[in-house]
Amino acid sequence: MKKHNFYAGPSILPQYTIDKVAEGVKNFAGTGLSVMEVSHRGKEFVAVMEEAVSLFKELLEIPAGYEVLFLGGGASLQFAMIPMNIMQKKAAYLNTGEWASKAIKEGKFFGEVVEVASSKDRNFCYVPKNYEIPDDADYFHITTNNTIFGTQLRKDLDVSVPLVADMSSDIFSRPVDVSKYGIIYGGAQKNLAPAGVTFVIIKEDILGKVDRPIPTMLNYKTHISKGSMFNTPPVLPVFAAVQTLNWLKDNGGLKAMEKRNIEKAGMLYDEIDRNRLFKTTVNDVEDRSLMNICFVMNDEYKELESEFMEFAKSRGMIGIAGHRSVGGFRASTYNALPKESVEALVSVMKEFESDK
Ligand SMILES: *Cc1c(COP(=O)(O)O)cnc(C)c1O
């Protein structure tokens, strides 16, 4: 039976990426060796790293003055590295979920954190809209897609301080105006590559303003000056990322991805809204994530939750359990998820409804 992969992360990758990585694991760039067993300083892998940077710049139309880094430590390490490198005294954060809360916690190790707004009062089921950012904040941190709660901030905000965005789970899902951001970062394992590499797009002129000493490995300047090769980079995930980036390019780039993502998510939200058994946990249409679609049983059908889970599983739906802090279901519809998988889930929901 065909499996439909709705995992939230690590998550579905294009078949193209998987095939190309399988090839490279056996015979990398005609070397007769595996990509896993060659020097990261050899010309073949240096070319991979350069291609990764240039495809990021091309697909996201990154303007001059920005650097693209590939680091270890996950998005979670960036929660600390960002304030360590750019918080002089104070930073502002928008609290839209668990990852944002974790970023806030790390920010507090380095200075004053102003939480400008939070949607915690309603279990993070919306994105706060009206808030003020202090003019003297060194930056404003947002999480563009809240992987756990299924909300998304889909426009590039205009703010008067450097904008810092965790885009772990929606990078490359739509065109982004990079010029509006000081830093864009994320773990690659949602929409780009296997786990193990973290991308950081950074505007160089926001660096060099803090007084605190920064350990070498945690200093962005180290990695900028060495082109992400100060120490051994996550070779295999970077190699995989290049394959996905080429796949994105061959499939029409970010405008085409956005169009497909709107269509796929729309199909599923329409069914959740229509089907009398289910409801979404994110009511404001504007806040609904195109990447992680959270839904639960309607109140009068609560007792059917585990039955639906089993029913869906038996029809090849993988990874649709909601995160424990939301419950119910979550279908992640990342770039690589084909429209056919959404259609399959929709028909499973219809079929289940017709029996009840
Ligand atoms: C998954 C996720 C993270 C955590 O990433 P790690 O690479 O595991 O540290 C952070 N932020 C968001 C929005 C995520 O979805």
Side-chain angles (χ1 to χ4, degrees):
M1 183 186 27
K2 166 128 184 73
K3 304 240 161 143
H4 300 282
N5 182 356
F6 293 98
Y7 277 125
S11 35
I12 189 165
L13 289 170
Q15 190 57 43
Y16 177 85
T17 300
I18 291 164
D19 292 343
K20 286 285 181 185
V21 171
E23 266 173 43
V25 163
K26 290 190 172 159
N27 181 1
F28 170 49
T31 56
L33 301 170
S34 171
V35 64
M36 298 189 294
E37 57 177 7
V38 295
S39 170
H40 61 292
R41 304 205 186 273
K43 72 173 183 334
E44 291 85 3
F45 186 75
V46 168
V48 170
M49 188 58 103
E50 283 169 358
E51 191 179 2
V53 172
S54 76
L55 285 168
F56 254 71
K57 290 187 171 169
E58 182 183 342
L59 285 161
L60 285 164
E61 298 178 29
I62 300 176
Y66 286 79
E67 295 285 340
V68 181
L69 302 175
F70 297 98
L71 308 175
S76 300
L77 182 60
Q78 296 308 307
F79 296 163
M81 243 172 111
I82 288 163
M84 184 183 267
N85 280 267
I86 68 168
M87 194 200 293
Q88 296 163 64
K89 284 208 178 71
K90 184 198 264 193
Y93 282 72
L94 184 63
N95 191 357
T96 50
E98 204 161 301
W99 297 115
S101 302
K102 287 185 165 152
I104 288 168
K105 180 175 174 224
E106 299 306 304
K108 287 178 179 166
F109 284 108
F110 300 95
E112 183 188 346
V113 167
V114 180
E115 196 176 297
V116 297
S118 168
S119 46
K120 196 171 181 186
D121 56 340
R122 285 164 49 210
N123 201 29
F124 299 114
C125 72
Y126 66 102
V127 178
K129 302 280 158 26
N130 298 309
Y131 46 81
E132 254 174 66
I133 301 161
D135 284 336
D136 60 345
D138 296 319
Y139 61 88
F140 177 47
H141 181 282
I142 57 173
T143 312
T144 50
N145 186 66
N146 299 285
T147 324
I148 292 174
F149 298 96
T151 63
Q152 189 176 15
L153 211 172
R154 251 192 297 147
K155 54 177 184 260
D156 303 310
L157 300 178
D158 281 300
V159 294
S160 57
V161 301
L163 185 59
V164 173
D166 176 356
M167 293 197 186
S168 293
S169 52
D170 64 351
I171 188 74
F172 296 117
S173 68
R174 65 171 180 93
V176 168
D177 182 352
V178 175
S179 71
K180 296 203 168 154
Y181 297 84
I183 297 179
I184 296 172
Y185 70 97
Q189 68 273 21
K190 311 284 163 53
N191 216 6
L192 184 62
V197 64
T198 311
F199 60 85
V200 182
I201 302 163
I202 186 162
K203 195 171 182 212
E204 245 192 305
D205 69 8
I206 65 170
L207 295 173
K209 295 178 184 165
V210 299
D211 296 329
R212 72 177 63 84
I214 303 175
T216 313
M217 263 300 279
L218 300 177
N219 194 330
Y220 290 123
K221 287 186 167 177
T222 303
H223 300 289
I224 290 172
S225 70
K226 299 290 183 193
S228 300
M229 295 273 210
F230 170 72
N231 70 323
T232 319
V235 170
L236 192 62
V238 171
F239 180 69
V242 165
Q243 313 313 320
T244 303
L245 294 166
N246 276 313
W247 176 85
L248 281 167
K249 195 174 150 178
D250 292 345
N251 283 277
L254 303 191
K255 282 209 180 82
M257 280 305 134
E258 181 178 45
K259 189 164 168 265
R260 270 169 43 117
N261 289 330
I262 289 172
E263 190 192 353
K264 286 185 302 182
M267 281 164 52
L268 190 47
Y269 282 119
D270 284 350
E271 176 59 17
I272 295 164
D273 289 342
R274 186 208 62 77
N275 193 308
R276 76 195 144 82
L277 304 186
F278 302 99
K279 65 176 179 190
T280 164
T281 52
V282 181
N283 291 320
D284 195 337
V285 173
E286 189 191 347
D287 293 346
R288 289 178 177 179
S289 172
L290 303 186
M291 297 278 97
N292 312 98
I293 297 165
C294 294
F295 57 107
V296 293
M297 304 304 307
N298 251 323
D299 294 342
E300 56 272 46
Y301 298 105
K302 273 261 174 303
E303 75 285 359
L304 294 178
E305 184 173 306
S306 53
E307 193 184 328
F308 177 69
M309 191 69 85
E310 286 312 310
F311 184 80
K313 251 189 216 158
S314 74
R315 280 157 177 74
M317 306 299 136
I318 308 292
I320 62 162
H323 189 273
R324 62 190 174 280
S325 49
V326 184
F329 312 98
R330 170 175 52 175
S332 297
T333 52
Y334 295 119
N335 285 342
L337 185 87
K339 191 172 122 185
E340 293 68 42
S341 290
V342 178
E343 286 165 351
L345 178 57
V346 166
S347 50
V348 164
M349 291 164 76
K350 289 197 161 117
E351 192 184 341
F352 190 72
E353 181 194 31
S354 67
D355 280 356
K356 302 294 162 196

